[in-house]
Amino acid sequence: MEEGTSRDGQASAGTSDKPVVILVIGMAGSGKTTLIQRMNSHLHAKNLPGYIINMDPAVTHVPYSANIDIRDTVKYKNVMKEYNLGPNGGILTSCNLFATRFDQVIQLCEKPRNPPLKYIIVDTPGQIEIFTWSASGAIVTELLASSFPTIVVYVVDTPRCVNPQTFMSNMLQACSILYKTKLPMLLAFNKVDVTRHEFALEWMSDFEAYSSALERDASYASTLSRSLSLVLDEFYDNLNSVGVSAATGEGMDQFFEGVHKCAREFAEYYLPEMERLKKEKADKEARRQQREMEKLRADMGGVGLGSSSGTQAGGNSGSTVGAAAAA
């Protein structure tokens, strides 16, 4: 037990003084932006310094004051006109353009402050695939994770998940994001003031309960959902979840407890893996440079040998001509 505590302490030593990055991702209408406003209010009430980054270029209004706003850098409608794009293409291109300057965002987040930042909250575009499966999303996620302890909060629209197949769609989306980002995930069941989330927790822990909910539907989709539930059983076991209400503020203390738990997981499991991958990449690059240097030395050696032979041949030729002239 003491060994485990020591290991956890060592792993988190390098990240305890850094703010935790919370990437808020969810399907359109799940309440991401409203939840961020509730998180912002909660931090202000607790006197905890936070920093908010808005990554949605198409949003017309946000209920919070963003410290960094993509709309100040990239004009979404101008991008659509200039590149002759539709709405989704405009959002994607705007995010790509913003990602080229994200190193400046990292520098702003790393700037020393008094009191120091505790949280960096990132609001992502409503079109979930634009961030999770784009080059800009990968760049932003990797830059943040390489600089700060980073977690993903996947926001679920609880009332819609009463339908078992909609629930399964959300779980598959969450699973794909988990394996795409390779970061700790907190599942936030939003709108619990409208519909309690205990049914979802039961479906995640009890296959028979989920199977019973599907019995009223005999379609192919229902059979597929039942099979997928078995496949996702291990995914459920290692997933942190919490019920929250962005409207009333219910569950926010438990929400931030879940955030801290995910941050500890980042320090204990994800950070060492990231360091291992960095070392492998550095070693691979060192070997490549070594091969290039050896090749260059071989080429230079060949050139030197050729020059030496040419000089020697030229000297012998000169001697022969001189001897002939003397004769």
Side-chain angles (χ1 to χ4, degrees):
M1 184 70 177
E2 293 179 358
E3 180 183 353
T5 305
S6 174
R7 182 180 65 178
D8 182 67
Q10 292 173 358
S12 60
T15 59
S16 59
D17 57 338
K18 294 183 177 182
V20 177
V21 175
I22 305 173
L23 284 170
V24 183
I25 301 175
M27 291 186 179
S30 60
K32 297 186 300 298
T33 301
T34 310
L35 179 60
I36 288 177
Q37 166 57 20
R38 178 57 61 181
M39 293 163 61
N40 187 37
S41 300
H42 184 82
L43 294 179
H44 279 293
K46 300 287 186 180
N47 292 319
L48 296 172
Y51 205 73
I52 301 181
I53 302 173
N54 174 40
M55 286 286 297
D56 191 347
V59 65
T60 56
H61 170 74
V62 289
Y64 53 81
S65 178
N67 299 94
I68 298 177
D69 198 326
I70 187 175
R71 297 174 299 173
D72 296 334
T73 305
V74 183
K75 302 302 180 184
Y76 162 68
K77 291 186 177 179
N78 292 345
V79 170
M80 287 178 61
K81 292 178 181 178
E82 183 175 352
Y83 296 99
N84 194 26
L85 299 169
N88 287 344
I91 296 173
L92 180 60
T93 304
S94 297
C95 289
N96 289 343
L97 292 171
F98 188 70
T100 62
R101 299 185 180 183
F102 207 77
D103 58 317
Q104 299 176 24
V105 175
I106 297 294
Q107 291 173 8
L108 288 173
C109 294
E110 291 177 335
K111 185 178 178 180
R113 292 175 175 82
N114 188 20
L117 291 178
K118 294 297 183 182
Y119 301 96
I120 298 173
I121 304 169
V122 182
D123 191 2
T124 59
Q127 289 77 359
I128 188 170
E129 70 282 354
I130 287 178
F131 184 82
T132 56
W133 297 102
S134 66
S136 59
I139 291 170
V140 168
T141 301
E142 290 175 7
L143 283 174
L144 288 171
S146 63
S147 305
F148 308 99
T150 304
I151 74 163
V152 173
V153 170
Y154 182 77
V155 184
V156 179
D157 189 343
T158 308
R160 291 188 180 181
C161 285
V162 172
N163 184 319
Q165 294 180 23
T166 305
F167 169 81
M168 181 53 62
S169 298
N170 271 275
M171 294 302 103
L172 288 174
Q173 190 72 257
C175 183
S176 68
I177 292 171
L178 176 68
Y179 287 104
K180 178 70 169 59
T181 61
K182 298 180 177 65
L183 292 172
M185 175 177 283
L186 176 63
L187 206 62
F189 288 97
N190 195 17
K191 307 180 185 179
V192 295
D193 56 309
V194 178
T195 303
R196 304 304 301 177
H197 69 297
E198 282 75 12
F199 74 92
L201 299 180
E202 183 183 11
W203 288 353
M204 293 168 65
S205 60
D206 187 354
F207 169 75
E208 295 299 330
Y210 182 71
S211 182
S212 298
L214 287 168
E215 285 181 355
R216 294 186 297 272
D217 187 356
S219 65
Y220 168 75
S222 175
T223 305
L224 178 62
S225 296
R226 187 178 288 104
S227 301
L228 289 172
S229 181
L230 289 172
V231 173
L232 294 178
D233 186 56
E234 186 175 351
F235 167 68
Y236 293 151
D237 288 342
N238 299 304
L239 193 62
N240 301 303
S241 60
V242 63
V244 296
S245 171
T248 65
E250 180 184 350
M252 292 310 298
D253 288 330
Q254 292 80 4
F255 174 86
F256 279 97
E257 288 175 6
V259 168
H260 295 156
K261 182 179 179 181
C262 289
R264 290 193 295 270
E265 288 181 10
F266 178 90
E268 186 174 357
Y269 301 108
Y270 291 80
L271 188 59
E273 177 66 12
M274 191 180 301
E275 294 298 331
R276 183 186 67 80
L277 293 174
K278 282 184 181 178
K279 187 176 183 303
E280 284 185 1
K281 185 176 181 180
D283 292 344
K284 184 178 179 180
E285 178 63 18
R287 289 194 297 269
R288 185 192 68 80
Q289 292 180 359
Q290 182 65 25
R291 289 194 301 268
E292 293 294 331
M293 288 299 296
E294 291 175 356
K295 183 179 178 181
L296 180 61
R297 290 193 190 99
D299 292 343
M300 292 297 290
V303 171
L305 182 60
S307 300
S308 176
S309 300
T311 302
Q312 184 177 0
N316 293 337
S317 175
S319 300
T320 304
V321 172

